[in-house]
Amino acid sequence: MVASGRPSMQVLLQRVAWADVRVDGDVTGRIEQGLVALVGVGQRSTADDAQWLASKTAALRVFGDASGRMDRSVAEQGGSVLAISQFTLYGDVRKGRRPSFTAAADPAQGQRLFEEYCDALPVPVARGVFGAHMRIGLEADGPVTLLLRSEDGQRT
């Protein structure tokens, strides 16, 4: 059982000038300007969480307008999202030296909700390979890094 107050689903966003992901040396996803989304699915994650987080990702105003003020979304900017499944966002390091991942969803649920998140994004999406060992390259822009999460029915 997951402790109350723990996020049910979370996405770590990084604004980038470009990003790519490689599996076994082959590029499996690449974007130019946009967002890298590290998507963590927890045991209590739902399709509603995936939908809400996708909507929030696309609508966040984290790109500069003509005056440089962060007032444009990735959709308004004409950008893309590179989505990477990231169960290690649920790593619990409170005890010992090895993280525990018991709060992460099982692989079937994780893949299903990761795909639902990606499919719900109203912008072009490139993806990593679920469950694969990946190498991610990116040029951070800003840097701007934000954590979105769904927690006990609340959205933060």
Side-chain angles (χ1 to χ4, degrees):
M1 178 146 205
V2 177
S4 179
R6 299 282 309 260
S8 63
M9 190 165 175
Q10 44 193 341
V11 177
L12 183 65
L13 294 176
Q14 175 90 53
R15 188 177 72 185
V16 297
W18 64 267
D20 66 18
V21 59
R22 296 172 186 265
V23 175
D24 296 328
D26 296 324
V27 174
T28 62
R30 178 168 177 71
I31 64 168
E32 295 303 320
Q33 184 180 50
L35 298 169
V36 169
L38 302 177
V39 181
V41 180
Q43 290 179 1
R44 297 180 300 122
S45 298
T46 67
D48 286 343
D49 294 325
Q51 294 286 327
W52 181 83
L53 287 165
S55 176
K56 190 73 167 176
T57 297
L60 276 176
R61 298 185 311 177
V62 295
F63 291 89
D65 61 14
S67 66
R69 181 172 172 231
M70 285 199 303
D71 201 28
R72 295 175 54 85
S73 69
V74 68
E76 293 167 327
Q77 191 67 17
S80 304
V81 173
L82 175 59
I84 308 287
S85 176
Q86 187 75 35
F87 79 94
T88 61
L89 286 174
Y90 284 90
D92 185 347
V93 296
R94 292 178 290 179
K95 295 198 307 190
R97 297 181 302 146
R98 180 175 295 137
S100 168
F101 299 106
T102 59
D106 66 69
Q109 177 188 13
Q111 185 168 15
R112 179 177 55 81
L113 292 176
F114 170 73
E115 295 296 336
E116 285 191 33
Y117 168 82
C118 292
D119 291 344
L121 286 164
V123 297
V125 180
R127 302 172 198 213
V129 176
F130 188 91
H133 181 89
M134 294 173 268
R135 297 208 179 255
I136 302 164
L138 61 86
E139 183 176 318
D141 181 14
V144 174
T145 306
L146 299 164
L147 179 60
L148 309 178
R149 59 186 174 180
S150 172
E151 185 173 335
D152 289 338
Q154 298 177 2
R155 312 293 192 207
T156 58

